[in-house]
Amino acid sequence: MSQKRPLQARPFLDWTFIFVAALSLSAAIFVYRRDGWITFQHILFEDIILFAAILPKVAAGCLIGAMVRLLIPRHVIVTWVGEGSGLRGLIIASAVGAVFPGGPFTIFPLAGAFMLSGADRGAAVAFVTGWLLLGINRAIIWEMPFFGVDFVMQRMLLSIALPVIAGLMARSLGKALDRRFPEEEKPAV
């Protein structure tokens, strides 16, 4: 097992930011040309309000992710959900994702923090997928009142293996990318 360097912080102006900014600018120009200044101004104002409402949640999620890195020692994360953790690590990551409360503003920074702390990409994928597909909190609060216990149990049973499968696929793809792009040639992602 090779020793991998930790993930580096992403630059502010990477290709994902440029892509999203280009889409946003294109949509803004389209709305302005099609619907005029008043509609454009109304949508922009609503977006600014939405941004102001989401910003504290994103900041709190990043803070939680940073604190987890300090609270849980790196060797514990590497042992339980690191590259050598095998199937057990994917099951643990899936289970933690399933029981972890919170929304995407908490889960995604936390998954990133786990990766920076030594979790492999398969475990991070299993964690996020477990949260998405098996989220107990969401199932109890939202799904059971609308769909009933039988439906939720069926959905959970059909989905229970999917986070582990997604984690295995992420590990496999990661190994293929590592072979294709050695560390010194790896593109910034």
Side-chain angles (χ1 to χ4, degrees), residues 174-189:
K175 286 178 183 175
L177 287 174
D178 287 344
R179 282 191 302 273
R180 176 74 174 99
F181 300 104
E183 278 305 313
E184 56 276 355
E185 296 177 21
K186 201 166 276 185
V189 286

Side-chain angles (χ1 to χ4, degrees), residues 97-163:
V99 299
F100 204 91
F105 306 117
T106 306
I107 296 300
F108 296 123
L110 193 57
F114 280 143
M115 287 183 70
L116 287 171
S117 297
D120 75 332
R121 61 188 96 173
V125 167
F127 172 74
V128 171
T129 308
W131 171 76
L132 283 167
L133 295 179
L134 305 173
I136 307 272
N137 186 41
R138 186 176 53 250
I140 292 170
I141 294 172
W142 293 104
E143 293 178 19
M144 284 183 185
F146 286 102
F147 301 115
V149 175
D150 291 341
F151 175 84
V152 173
M153 288 304 172
Q154 266 185 336
R155 188 192 66 70
M156 292 276 218
L157 284 173
L158 290 170
S159 302
I160 201 154
L162 295 177

Side-chain angles (χ1 to χ4, degrees), residues 7 9-10 23 40 46 57 61 68 78 86 118 130 153 158 161 167 177:
L7 293 175
R10 294 175 65 127
L23 281 177
F40 174 82
E46 286 181 352
K57 296 173 186 174
V68 164
V78 169
M153 288 304 172
L158 290 170
L177 287 174

